[in-house]
Amino acid sequence: EPHPESCPWTFPAYAPSMEERLRWLNWGWEMGKDFFSWPTLPEYVLRTSNTATERWRRIVCFPLHIED
C-alpha cells in the first residue's frame, strides 16, 4: 500500500543538475507531455536547509498517466 504522503499520480526523479532538469522539462513540454517541477518548498525550508533546496532544484516529475 502506498505511503499516506505519497503522490501516486507522478514519478519524481532527480536530474544530475538544474540544467539537465531544465532540458527534461523543455523536452517534455515540446513533446506535449506534462513534465513539471516539484511544488515550492516552504520558505523556512528554503532558508534553513541547503540540502533540501539543492535536491528540490533538481527534481523533475513525470506523470504516470502518459499514454503513447
Side-chain angles (χ1 to χ4, degrees):
E1 185 167 316
H3 187 277
E5 295 177 15
S6 68
C7 184
W9 54 86
T10 190
F11 178 81
Y14 289 115
S17 66
M18 289 175 44
E19 293 79 15
E20 183 69 18
R21 181 189 106 174
L22 184 57
R23 279 193 285 277
W24 273 104
L25 292 172
N26 286 330
W27 181 85
W29 296 330
E30 288 171 9
M31 301 301 290
K33 307 298 183 190
D34 296 325
F35 295 0
F36 56 96
S37 58
W38 197 258
T40 302
L41 294 175
E43 185 66 33
Y44 74 91
V45 174
L46 292 172
R47 282 182 299 179
T48 61
S49 179
N50 289 338
T51 303
T53 301
E54 287 306 311
R55 287 182 186 162
W56 170 69
R57 289 181 176 156
R58 295 186 300 118
I59 292 178
V60 59
C61 297
F62 304 93
L64 299 178
H65 69 278
I66 292 177
E67 296 179 22
D68 281 327

